């Protein structure tokens, strides 16, 4: 069958008639613990609860957007040197950084974890050493450079995981089990099944601790503003028990959307520096596995672009219903697909309905909200899932805003504005 005109022209004709809602800029006030003002002193205070190792100490650092990570690592390096150690940093990020040593070193450098910033070498490799197996036969691996050192310290933020629930989720325990295992170790843990991962991670971490290599974990907890509010050093033998209460604190601190029911959620940008899943499912309510749940009900979700920091890794785009061509064009497929191969979760890397402009993407999402008119549409726009202090909320939500003491309208309603190229302003 011959098509006489480009399909996008027909789509434009359909979507041009969609009346997008007006909305207001809303500010959200969240009660949360105060930010640590002196990171160096916070780290040094935490380290008083553990014995600092000497010799060659490998410091595992991951790829997540841990707030002020370079300051935290620099303070740790300083303290270890004072204790007589020879510290060096190793990437502890599974398959991230396109699963190459050079890529992982670049990720750390981009986060400020470079030799000139932290005061010690960064040694990257994808080679691993098998440490043993869990009671259920899952192989556990460790970065070869870390294993060849005299001891290992891991530095990580404690937070709710994006794909499972357990007594420990994201934090030093997971970094021992998955991050330090590189691609091979990360795949080994994930291949044991998402329904088992809440048990597999602690079991694998116990194998790592049992190797005698691990000295302690340095954990941070962040407040609702994504700033460190606590630093804790946990001896290797007490890692699980010490991390569990920090996870509960992190859950209480997590900033969330103030609406339980949303027709269209528009997210300006996703990226690995925001969340392992591009946008944090704990915020969006869209999870890549059945092993986690919670958050708002979002009928349709739109992702508009990628962060620069993610380096083309678009993991998580598959959780949206509509994305833009500029997002897909910026996608580095090999690094994105490596996430799926490692985590055994293909849904987050599937490419959804793709529209040429932001305006068409939002109109398409609203069109697919059956039975919802423009004036009724509960539409929310955020920059990303880390930035929830301000958001754009449609007029249908403003009565709810007025009844919530945490929310304030800071700019009166206006129509959604787009540039000549259809990009959202």
């Amino acid at each position: 069958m011959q098509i006489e005109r480009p399909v996008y022209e027909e789509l434009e004709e359909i979507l041009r008639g969609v009346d997008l809602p007006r909305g207001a800029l809303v500010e959200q006030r969240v009660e949360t613990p105060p930010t640590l003002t002196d990171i160096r002193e916070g780290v040094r205070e935490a380290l008083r609860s553990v014995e600092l190792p000497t010799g060659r100490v490998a410091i595992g650092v991951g790829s997540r957007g841990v707030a002020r990570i370079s300051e935290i690592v620099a303070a740790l390096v300083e303290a270890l040197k004072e204790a007589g150690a020879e510290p060096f940093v190793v990437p502890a990020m599974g398959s991230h950084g396109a699963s190459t040593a050079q890529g992982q070193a670049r990720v750390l450098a981009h986060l400020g974890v470079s030799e000139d910033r932290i005061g010690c070498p960064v040694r990257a490799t994808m080679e691993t050493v098998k440490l043993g197996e869990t009671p259920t036969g899952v192989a556990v691996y460790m970065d070869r450079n870390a294993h060849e050192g005299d001891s290992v310290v891991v530095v990580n933020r404690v937070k709710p995981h994006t794909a499972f629930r357990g007594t420990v989720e994201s934090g030093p325990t997971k970094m021992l089990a998955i991050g330090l295992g590189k691609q091979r170790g990360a795949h080994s843990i994930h291949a044991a099944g998402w329904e088992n991962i809440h048990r597999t991670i602690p079991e694998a971490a116990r194998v790592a601790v049992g190797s005698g290599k691990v000295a302690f974990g340095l954990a941070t907890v962040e407040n609702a503003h994504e700033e460190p509010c606590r630093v804790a050093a946990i001896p290797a033998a007490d890692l699980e028990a010490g991390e569990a209460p920090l996870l509960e604190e992190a859950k209480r601190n997590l900033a969330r959307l103030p609406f339980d029911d949303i027709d269209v959620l528009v997210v300006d940008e996703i990226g690995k520096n925001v969340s392992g899943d591009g946008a944090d499912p704990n915020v969006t309510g869209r999870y890549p596995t059945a092993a986690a749940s919670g958050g708002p009900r979002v009928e349709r979700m739109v992702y508009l672009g990628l962060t620069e920091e993610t380096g083309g890794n678009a993991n998580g785009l598959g959780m949206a219903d509509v994305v833009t061509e500029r997002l897909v064009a910026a996608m580095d497929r090999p690094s994105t697909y490596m996430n799926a191969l490692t985590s055994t979760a293909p849904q987050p890397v599937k490419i959804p309905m793709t529209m040429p402009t932001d305006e068409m993407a939002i109109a398409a999402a609203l069109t697919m909200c059956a039975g919802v008119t423009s004036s009724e549409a509960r539409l929310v726009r955020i920059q990303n899932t880390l930035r929830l202090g301000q958001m754009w909320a449609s007029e249908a939500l403003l009565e709810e805003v007025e009844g919530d003491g945490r929310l304030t309208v800071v700019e009166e309603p206006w129509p959604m504005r787009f540039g000549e190229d259809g990009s959202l302003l």
Side-chain angles (χ1 to χ4, degrees):
M1 181 179 68
Q2 184 176 358
I3 299 176
E4 296 183 357
R5 56 179 179 165
V7 173
Y8 274 145
E9 289 185 14
E10 296 187 15
L11 291 176
E12 287 175 354
E13 186 174 318
I14 293 170
L15 298 177
R16 194 180 297 119
V18 177
D19 186 18
L20 298 179
R22 290 162 46 91
L25 186 64
V26 173
E27 192 167 79
Q28 178 175 210
R29 176 180 54 80
V30 180
E31 293 185 3
T32 193
T35 298
L36 284 176
T37 55
D38 190 333
I39 292 296
R40 178 177 177 272
E41 182 54 35
V43 170
R44 295 178 79 88
E45 175 65 29
L47 292 177
R48 293 187 180 101
S49 65
V50 295
E51 181 179 352
L52 297 183
T54 56
R56 294 166 299 147
V57 180
I59 303 172
V61 181
S63 57
R64 297 288 188 261
V66 179
R68 302 175 73 175
I69 185 63
S70 62
E71 296 176 62
I72 293 166
V73 175
L76 173 60
V77 167
E78 180 184 54
L80 286 171
K81 285 183 174 180
E82 290 175 2
E86 299 174 18
F88 61 95
V89 163
V90 298
M93 57 184 75
S95 65
H96 300 175
S99 201
T100 67
Q102 298 85 349
Q104 296 201 340
R106 283 195 297 269
V107 170
L108 289 185
H110 193 85
L111 295 173
V113 182
S114 57
E115 183 169 353
D116 61 327
R117 293 281 295 276
I118 61 173
C120 75
V122 176
R123 299 175 183 166
T125 183
M126 294 305 293
E127 296 181 13
T128 59
V129 173
K130 185 177 178 180
L131 299 179
E133 296 182 354
T134 70
T136 56
V138 178
V140 181
Y141 297 87
M142 180 179 283
D143 175 290
R144 179 173 292 279
N145 286 332
H147 190 266
E148 290 176 351
D150 295 307
S151 56
V152 174
V153 174
V154 287
V155 182
N156 203 5
R157 169 183 57 186
V158 174
K159 67 180 291 290
H161 198 271
T162 60
F164 77 92
R165 294 288 176 258
T167 55
V168 293
E169 295 177 18
S170 283
T173 300
K174 177 174 175 282
M175 182 174 276
L176 282 179
I178 293 178
L180 270 181
K182 319 304 285 193
Q183 193 279 334
R184 190 174 189 181
H187 181 265
S188 176
I189 302 298
H190 288 105
W194 281 102
E195 70 278 11
N196 302 314
I197 201 166
H198 64 290
R199 292 187 297 269
T200 306
I201 285 176
E203 289 173 353
R206 287 176 210 138
V207 173
V209 170
S211 72
K213 288 288 184 180
V214 184
F216 62 88
L218 189 65
T220 71
V221 177
E222 295 178 3
N223 59 24
H225 305 305
E226 301 292 330
E227 291 289 346
C229 62
R230 182 188 298 275
V231 182
I234 310 171
D238 303 326
L239 202 53
E240 289 178 61
E243 188 177 325
L246 297 179
L247 174 60
E248 294 307 308
E249 181 178 348
K251 288 180 178 180
R252 292 192 297 270
N253 293 348
L254 183 68
R256 302 178 188 274
L257 289 168
F259 310 109
D260 294 328
D261 191 54
I262 298 170
D263 293 316
V264 178
L265 176 61
V266 179
V267 182
D268 286 3
E269 59 184 10
I270 65 169
K272 296 292 287 186
N273 60 307
V274 175
S275 168
D277 286 275
D280 191 342
N282 295 295
V283 173
T284 66
R286 294 279 186 96
Y287 292 87
T289 75
S293 61
R297 183 204 69 83
V298 175
E299 181 70 14
R300 300 289 177 234
M301 190 154 61
V302 182
Y303 292 160
L304 300 180
L306 296 182
T307 64
E308 181 181 351
E309 294 84 352
T310 198
N313 191 323
N315 188 56
L317 87 162
M319 308 316 297
D321 300 290
V322 189
V323 296
T324 63
E325 284 190 349
R326 66 184 171 92
L327 187 156
V328 174
M331 175 183 179
D332 182 287
R333 298 195 185 202
S335 63
T336 303
Y337 294 161
M338 184 61 73
N339 267 96
L341 294 172
T342 301
S343 67
T344 70
Q347 178 64 31
V349 304
K350 293 183 178 181
I351 298 176
M353 178 185 292
T354 305
M355 288 291 165
T357 68
D358 297 358
E359 185 173 11
M360 288 180 67
I362 296 168
L366 186 56
T367 299
M368 293 186 289
C369 290
V372 177
T373 65
S374 175
S375 62
E376 299 170 334
R378 298 167 61 87
L379 190 150
V380 177
R381 176 194 178 188
I382 59 175
Q383 178 185 344
N384 59 51
T385 54
L386 291 180
R387 301 286 178 261
L388 300 175
Q390 287 191 338
M391 62 200 72
W392 189 92
S394 64
E395 288 181 309
L397 287 163
L398 295 188
E399 182 177 349
E400 194 169 322
V401 169
E402 291 171 1
D404 191 328
R406 300 168 299 167
L407 304 177
T408 305
V409 174
V410 294
E411 289 185 20
E412 292 303 311
W414 72 84
M416 300 188 82
R417 299 168 184 155
F418 299 90
E420 291 185 4
D421 62 353
S423 59
L424 187 55
L425 301 177

